């Protein structure tokens, strides 16, 4: 790793969590800036819509979140019972 990169990482880790999230998001986005074009815009919009829909379902009580470990245990039980 170049010394400049190590210094940037050190400086980034000194930021508060919200600032680190903004920097991390921008750095990740920069890896994909030249790819996707209009297709990526459409994909991003579709994901935003899906996330909003799922959050609305949780908030209005029409779905109840399940712990991932509990969910996988239920699936393993159903598979073992031959119902999946």
């Amino acid at each position: 790793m170049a010394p400049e990169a190590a210094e940037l990482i050190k400086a980034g880790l000194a930021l508060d969590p919200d600032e680190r999230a903004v920097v991390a998001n921008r750095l990740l986005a920069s890896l994909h800036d030249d790819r996707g074009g209009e297709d990526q815009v459409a994909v991003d919009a579709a994901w935003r819509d899906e996330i909003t829909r799922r959050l609305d379902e949780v908030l209005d009580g029409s779905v109840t979140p399940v712990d991932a470990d509990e969910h996988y245990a239920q699936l393993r039980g159903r598979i073992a019972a031959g119902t999946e």
Side-chain angles (χ1 to χ4, degrees):
M1 177 182 323
E4 296 85 5
E7 286 298 315
L8 286 170
I9 291 170
K10 183 177 177 181
L13 291 173
L15 298 171
D16 71 45
D18 289 335
E19 291 171 321
R20 283 197 315 268
V22 170
V23 171
N25 187 43
R26 182 61 191 111
L27 289 171
L28 287 171
S30 74
L31 296 174
H32 306 286
D33 280 349
D34 61 344
R35 292 186 243 159
E38 291 179 21
D39 289 341
Q40 189 61 49
V41 170
V43 169
D44 291 346
W47 271 115
R48 276 190 302 278
D49 291 346
E50 181 66 13
I51 292 165
T52 299
R53 183 187 66 77
R54 291 182 185 197
L55 179 58
D56 288 344
E57 289 176 342
V58 170
L59 294 175
D60 72 16
S62 61
V63 298
T64 303
V66 177
D67 177 75
D69 292 335
E70 178 184 332
H71 174 71
Y72 291 127
Q74 290 173 359
L75 286 175
R76 283 189 293 276
R78 289 168 62 185
I79 290 169
T83 59
E84 284 294 309

